[in-house]
């Protein structure tokens, strides 16, 4: 077993840039976050994401959020700083659907097998520590109210996140302990109330962005995805269908982007 381990090829577990400027993303089996894990067949995934994209075209806000999320790993090469994009508005207006779809761009979002779509229900230190392990990879955090904190109480946490979650600590002999990672990407968030408020620190003026719901059309479809009336037998809201497509076909957009060389310097 030891010899097999020594002979096994090395695979990246974290994101990094090569000397040529290419961004190398972690292999699916080398990290526990779920990035790069694939669900379903490629053929079925193409149909599913084509359908999801068609709904996004109908709602430019949805297309904007999906594009912003997918550009997360490339922010450093584009000269864009780490930031939070928060989706806010009352319930039943597509915020959670948007989160499901965006997280599934990067991998498997089925329960107990992923850490791409989480909630704000964690300690301040827990969230920043988690982000430091992700490097250039984005994350979705749903429902800020689940944190039990108001936007005012979380303001310093927002600033820490937008600053890259960097944290220096001292050693017992008075030295500086080496920092355990960094984060430079996009955090997609959702909340009922806006996270911005009057008197917030200046750093969040341009690095805490918000888009108001609704997202995606308010429409009904049958089991094949065809548009029907709400009273049609077996009809389901399009949001329910989009969530199911995201769960069943996660990860393929990232895989296609990798194959196309989207994360190389020449792109």
């Amino acid at each position: 077993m030891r010899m097999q381990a020594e002979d096994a090829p090395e695979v990246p577990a974290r994101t990094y840039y090569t000397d040529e400027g290419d961004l190398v993303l972690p292999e699916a089996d080398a990290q526990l976050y779920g990035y790069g894990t694939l669900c379903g067949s490629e053929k079925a995934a193409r149909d599913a994401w084509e359908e999801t994209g068609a709904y996004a075209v109908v709602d430019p806000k949805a297309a904007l959020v999906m594009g912003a999320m997918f550009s997360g790993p490339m922010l450093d090469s584009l000269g864009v700083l780490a930031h939070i994009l928060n989706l806010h508005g009352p319930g039943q207006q597509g915020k959670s659907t948007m989160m499901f779809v965006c997280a599934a761009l990067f991998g498997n979002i089925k329960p107990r097998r992923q850490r791409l779509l989480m909630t704000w229900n964690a300690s301040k230190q827990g969230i920043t520590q988690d982000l430091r392990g992700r490097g250039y990879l984005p994350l979705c955090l749903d429902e800020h109210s689940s944190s039990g904190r108001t936007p005012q109480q979380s303001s310093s946490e927002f600033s820490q996140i937008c600053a890259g979650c960097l944290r220096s600590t001292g050693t017992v002999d008075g030295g500086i302990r080496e920092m355990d990672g960094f984060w430079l990407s996009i955090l997609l968030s959702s909340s009922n109330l806006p996270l911005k408020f009057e008197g917030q620190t200046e750093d969040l003026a341009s690095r805490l962005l918000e888009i108001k719901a609704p997202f995606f059309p308010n429409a009904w479809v049958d089991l094949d995805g065809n548009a029907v009336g709400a009273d049609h037998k077996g009809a389901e809201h399009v949001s329910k269908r989009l969530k199911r497509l995201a769960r069943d076909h996660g990860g393929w957009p990232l895989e296609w982007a990798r194959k196309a060389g989207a994360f190389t310097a020449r792109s």
Side-chain angles (χ1 to χ4, degrees):
M1 184 179 297
R2 179 180 60 81
M3 295 176 63
Q4 288 179 342
E6 291 178 349
D7 294 337
E10 292 186 4
V11 295
R14 302 186 70 169
T15 51
Y16 66 93
Y17 278 96
T18 66
D19 294 338
E20 293 74 26
D22 296 342
L23 177 63
V24 178
L25 299 176
E27 296 292 336
D29 296 335
Q31 37 82 32
L32 301 177
Y33 296 117
Y35 298 95
T37 55
L38 303 175
C39 298
S41 69
E42 184 171 7
K43 182 180 184 304
R46 289 194 181 278
D47 293 337
W49 284 105
E50 182 178 354
E51 181 178 343
T52 300
Y55 281 114
V57 169
V58 176
D59 178 14
K61 288 193 299 182
L64 176 63
V65 174
M66 290 174 64
M69 180 72 175
F70 203 65
S71 66
M74 298 174 280
L75 294 190
D76 185 56
S77 60
L78 296 174
V80 179
L81 300 173
H83 59 275
I84 299 171
L85 176 58
N86 185 59
L87 317 179
H88 70 92
Q92 306 300 313
Q93 291 204 351
K95 300 192 305 298
S96 292
T97 302
M98 195 78 254
M99 303 288 280
F100 269 71
V101 170
C102 286
L105 291 170
F106 288 90
N108 185 351
I109 63 168
K110 293 179 181 178
R112 294 186 294 180
R113 295 195 60 187
Q114 60 83 29
R115 293 176 65 189
L116 299 167
L117 174 59
M118 303 167 65
T119 73
W120 281 95
N121 184 18
S123 68
K124 297 178 182 180
Q125 294 80 6
I127 291 176
T128 54
Q129 177 66 36
D130 185 274
L131 287 172
R132 281 197 293 274
R134 297 175 190 257
Y136 299 106
L137 297 173
L139 172 65
C140 293
L141 289 182
D142 204 8
E143 296 296 347
H144 179 263
S145 59
S146 68
S147 69
R149 301 184 291 273
T150 66
Q152 287 79 2
Q153 293 170 329
S154 294
S155 186
S156 62
E157 182 180 8
F158 300 153
S159 293
Q160 292 169 6
I161 291 172
C162 292
C165 302
L166 300 177
R167 181 179 177 88
S168 297
T169 58
T171 61
V172 293
D173 59 359
I176 300 297
R177 191 185 305 276
E178 183 178 353
M179 290 183 295
D180 56 340
F182 68 94
W183 180 76
L184 201 169
S185 194
I186 179 174
L187 173 64
L188 188 63
S189 165
S190 73
S191 63
N192 289 338
L193 299 176
L195 298 185
K196 280 197 167 187
F197 57 87
E198 187 175 352
Q200 213 161 31
T201 55
E202 294 180 359
D203 63 320
L204 296 179
S206 59
R207 299 174 72 177
L208 172 55
L209 312 175
E210 295 198 291
I211 299 180
K212 189 174 182 179
F215 300 100
F216 292 118
N218 181 21
W220 296 81
V221 296
D222 61 18
L223 293 178
D224 296 320
N226 301 310
V228 296
D231 57 350
H232 185 275
K233 184 178 180 180
E236 65 177 359
H237 196 271
V238 68
S239 62
K240 185 175 181 180
R241 179 171 178 82
L242 289 176
K243 285 182 178 180
R244 186 169 65 254
L245 292 178
R247 283 193 297 264
D248 293 345
H249 306 284
W252 283 102
L254 179 63
E255 178 69 9
W256 294 326
R258 276 174 159 170
K259 289 180 177 178
F263 302 106
T264 59
R266 63 181 179 275
S267 298

